[in-house]
Structure formats: structure tokens, C-alpha cells
Amino acid sequence: MKQAIIVRTDLKMGKGKIAAQSCHACLEAYKKADKTDIRKWEMNGGKKVVLKISSEEELLELHTLVKQTDLPCSLITDAGHTQIEPGSKTCMGIGPGDDEEIDKLVGHLKLL
């Protein structure tokens, strides 16, 4: 069991902004997860992986693929109060879910 956080690199967000947006993605996907999956994930250490994606287009394509599965996901849109334009899609959380199922979707992405 793991959770994947996918972060756009083309926005050139600072480290703090990336951390905050990643937390939003993590929590929003977690809230949508099945209670049984949450328990299994937590009992196994709550593993997370943070990956990078290079554009909004790629992020939205991936989001479309994830929505076709039973995995919980959250697409994060920034309010634009600090570093980036309002309405920017910054990142996405996927899972918690089975490693293999998540890897089928994001295995091609590199670590952030």
C-alpha cells in the first residue's frame, strides 16, 4: 500500500509551496479512501512517494486515467495567494492503494 503525490515542475514552485500543495493532495485523497484501505496503509507505515510531472496537460491526462480506476485521487487547484496564478492545477494525490495498481499509472514518472 502506498500513496503517490504528483507535482508539476513547470510552475517553478518554491520548496515550501511544494510541501504545502503536496499536503493538500495527500489529505484530500486520504479523505476519499476506503476505510479498510486506510487502515491497511497506516498499519504498513503510510508509505508515500512524491513524483514530478512537467505540465498541466500531462497532469490532467493522468487525472483522467486515475478517475477510470477505483483509486481515490485529488486534483489540487491553487487559490493564487502567493507564488502562482489563481486556478493553477499544482498537484494530485493518488491513493492510498495497492502498490502495483498505483505503479501501473505512475511508474513512468521520476522522483521529485
Side-chain angles (χ1 to χ4, degrees):
M1 298 293 289
K2 71 177 166 189
Q3 188 177 55
I5 309 299
I6 317 303
V7 178
R8 281 181 58 193
T9 55
D10 61 311
L11 293 173
K12 307 293 185 208
M13 294 180 281
K15 291 176 185 173
K17 184 71 171 178
I18 289 171
Q21 296 298 297
S22 295
C23 287
H24 290 314
C26 173
L27 288 172
E28 290 304 313
Y30 175 91
K31 289 177 190 177
K32 296 176 181 180
D34 177 78
K35 301 295 183 214
T36 303
D37 287 342
I38 289 172
R39 179 126 174 93
K40 283 175 25 183
W41 178 63
E42 289 174 340
M43 295 297 292
N44 288 294
K47 180 170 63 171
K48 293 166 211 69
V49 60
V50 182
L51 306 165
K52 57 186 173 180
I53 203 159
S54 60
S55 70
E56 181 174 319
E57 181 181 346
E58 288 180 68
L59 184 67
L60 294 175
E61 287 173 7
L62 179 59
H63 183 252
T64 299
L65 292 174
V66 176
K67 294 296 283 181
Q68 296 171 10
T69 73
D70 290 332
L71 290 168
C73 70
S74 62
L75 183 62
I76 303 304
T77 302
D78 192 66
H81 297 301
T82 57
Q83 298 178 10
I84 56 178
E85 292 297 315
S88 297
K89 309 286 190 266
T90 58
C91 60
M92 177 173 54
I94 305 170
D98 291 327
D99 287 13
E100 298 80 21
E101 193 174 351
I102 290 176
D103 287 345
K104 286 178 192 175
L105 297 163
V106 301
H108 64 288
L109 300 175
K110 304 273 188 213
L111 292 171
L112 180 64

